[in-house]
Amino acid sequence: MSREQRTKIDALLRQPRPAGIGSVEEIRAGFRALMAQMNVPTEIRTRTTTLGDRLAVLVEPVSAARAGTILYFHGGGFVYGSPETAMPLTANLVTRTGFRAYSVDYRLAPEHPFPAAIDDTLSAYRALLDSGEHPSTIAFAGDSAGGGLAVTTCLAARDAGLPMPAAIVAFSPGLDQTRTGESMDTKAGVDPLFTRESLEHNGAMYLAGQDPNQPLLSPAILADLTGFPPMLLQAGTNEMILDDATRLAARARAAGVDVILDITADLPHVFQSFAGMLDEADEALDRAALFLGQRISTRDPISQ
C-alpha cells in the first residue's frame, strides 16, 4: 500500500481553487494544467488524423504494433478535456498492450450538448468498421465522461444495428446524469476533486434542459445491457460517482454480461492518470492491459 503516494495525490487534487465555479474557459484551462503534470510514456508516436466526422489522435507504439485497435474517449464531464489531456492514459494502454489507439476529439458542451458526443464517437466506430476492421479487433476505452461514452456508444451502436466491439474498459465512468447514487452523498468531502455543485453544473451544460432519465444519459440505472461485450470497470473508493460503476456492474451481471468490477481503496477519480507516481495506478493499468490483451482478437477474422 502506497500511503505516502496517495496522501500526496490527495493533497494535489485539494489545492485551493478560485472561489465558486469558473467560466467554461477557466474550467478547461485548469484541467489542461492539471493533466500537464502527469507522466506520458515516451515509447509512442502520435499523429492527428480524422475518424468519422471528427479529428482524432492516432497513438502507436514505437515498435511494431499488434493487430487490434483501442478506440479511446477522453474524460472531462463532456465540457472539457481532449485527446491531449487523456494522453497519460491512452499512451499507457498503448505501451502496455502493443495495440494502437485512436483518441477521438468529440464535440463538447455547452457549445454542443447531448447527443453530440455520442454521435461523434459512434461515427468514429462506424468509420473503423467501414475501413475493414473487424469488431473483434476493436475495444472501447475511456475515462470519466469518456468511460460513460464507452458504454453509451455501445448502446447507440446496438440500436443502429452495428456489431458490438470486443470489449469495454472504463476508468471511473460517469454513467448517471440523475446523480442518484448513494456515493454522491457518502463520498462528499472524501472526494478531493468533485462536489455535487460542480458535477451538476457540468451536467447541466451537457443536458441543455433534456431529461436525464434516459438510457443514453443514465445507463447505470436505465440501460438494457443485453448482448454487451465483456466489460472492465475500474474506480476508486474516494469518488462521488463510485456508484455509477457499481450499479452498472450489477445491471451487466443481471443481463448475463461478463463484467469485472475493479475497485481500489482510498483512491480518487481516474487515479490511473497518476501512472509513475502511484503504484496502484500502474497496477490498475496493468490489469486493464491484460484484460484488453485477452479480449481483442489478433487473429485474421476470416480464419476465426
Side-chain angles (χ1 to χ4, degrees):
M1 302 290 282
S2 53
R3 179 67 59 186
E4 183 178 348
Q5 294 173 339
R6 284 179 287 173
T7 299
K8 287 182 178 179
I9 287 168
D10 188 83
L12 170 66
L13 295 176
R14 292 184 188 275
Q15 287 180 350
R17 302 184 183 94
I21 297 175
S23 67
V24 170
E25 283 308 317
E26 288 170 337
I27 293 171
R28 290 172 177 169
F31 187 65
R32 286 195 299 270
L34 173 64
M35 297 310 295
Q37 301 177 61
M38 309 303 170
N39 296 320
V40 176
T42 57
E43 303 86 10
I44 58 164
R45 58 175 179 264
T46 64
R47 65 178 175 88
T48 301
T49 183
T50 57
L51 201 57
D53 301 324
R54 297 294 299 170
L55 293 176
V57 175
L58 174 61
V59 186
E60 298 176 292
V62 170
S63 56
R66 300 169 65 189
T69 299
I70 300 168
L71 190 58
Y72 198 89
F73 310 133
H74 69 79
F78 301 103
V79 172
Y80 49 93
S82 66
E84 288 71 30
T85 61
M87 195 58 67
L89 293 163
T90 314
N92 265 293
L93 289 178
V94 167
T95 57
R96 282 171 159 83
T97 63
F99 298 124
R100 67 176 183 171
Y102 284 97
S103 188
V104 183
D105 191 14
Y106 59 85
R107 288 171 293 172
L108 299 176
E111 297 90 343
H112 304 283
F114 172 80
I118 299 173
D119 290 344
D120 291 345
T121 54
L122 180 63
S123 175
Y125 181 48
R126 193 187 298 272
L128 284 180
L129 297 175
D130 289 346
S131 73
E133 289 207 37
H134 195 273
S136 68
T137 68
I138 302 169
F140 293 172
D143 64 283
S144 193
L149 281 171
V151 174
T152 54
T153 303
C154 262
L155 288 172
R158 188 186 62 192
D159 291 348
L162 298 178
M164 290 290 91
I168 294 172
V169 169
F171 303 127
S172 299
L175 300 161
D176 177 20
Q177 288 291 334
T178 71
R179 309 298 184 196
T180 53
E182 289 185 8
S183 57
M184 285 291 296
D185 296 317
T186 60
K187 301 299 180 179
V190 177
D191 189 323
L193 196 59
F194 292 135
T195 63
R196 179 178 284 275
E197 181 187 20
S198 67
L199 287 168
E200 291 182 346
H201 178 73
N202 287 339
M205 286 190 276
Y206 182 54
L207 290 171
Q210 298 201 54
D211 184 357
N213 289 284
Q214 49 183 300
L216 290 179
L217 287 168
S218 300
I221 59 173
L222 294 169
D224 174 8
L225 302 178
T226 302
F228 258 50
M231 293 192 288
L232 171 64
L233 309 175
Q234 290 186 345
T237 61
N238 289 6
E239 52 179 307
M240 291 181 69
I241 66 168
L242 171 62
D243 283 352
D244 288 27
T246 60
R247 289 178 295 164
L248 190 84
R251 293 188 73 82
R253 286 195 301 270
V257 175
D258 291 343
V259 58
I260 299 173
L261 180 62
D262 182 358
I263 307 297
T264 306
D266 300 326
L267 289 177
H269 187 66
V270 196
F271 66 88
Q272 299 86 346
S273 296
F274 293 94
M277 295 181 274
L278 176 69
D279 292 344
E280 288 88 347
D282 288 286
E283 293 164 3
L285 286 165
D286 284 343
R287 295 193 296 274
L290 176 63
F291 177 83
L292 289 169
Q294 292 172 331
R295 297 298 181 179
I296 293 177
S297 175
T298 58
R299 297 175 293 172
D300 180 355
I302 297 176
S303 65
Q304 293 182 35

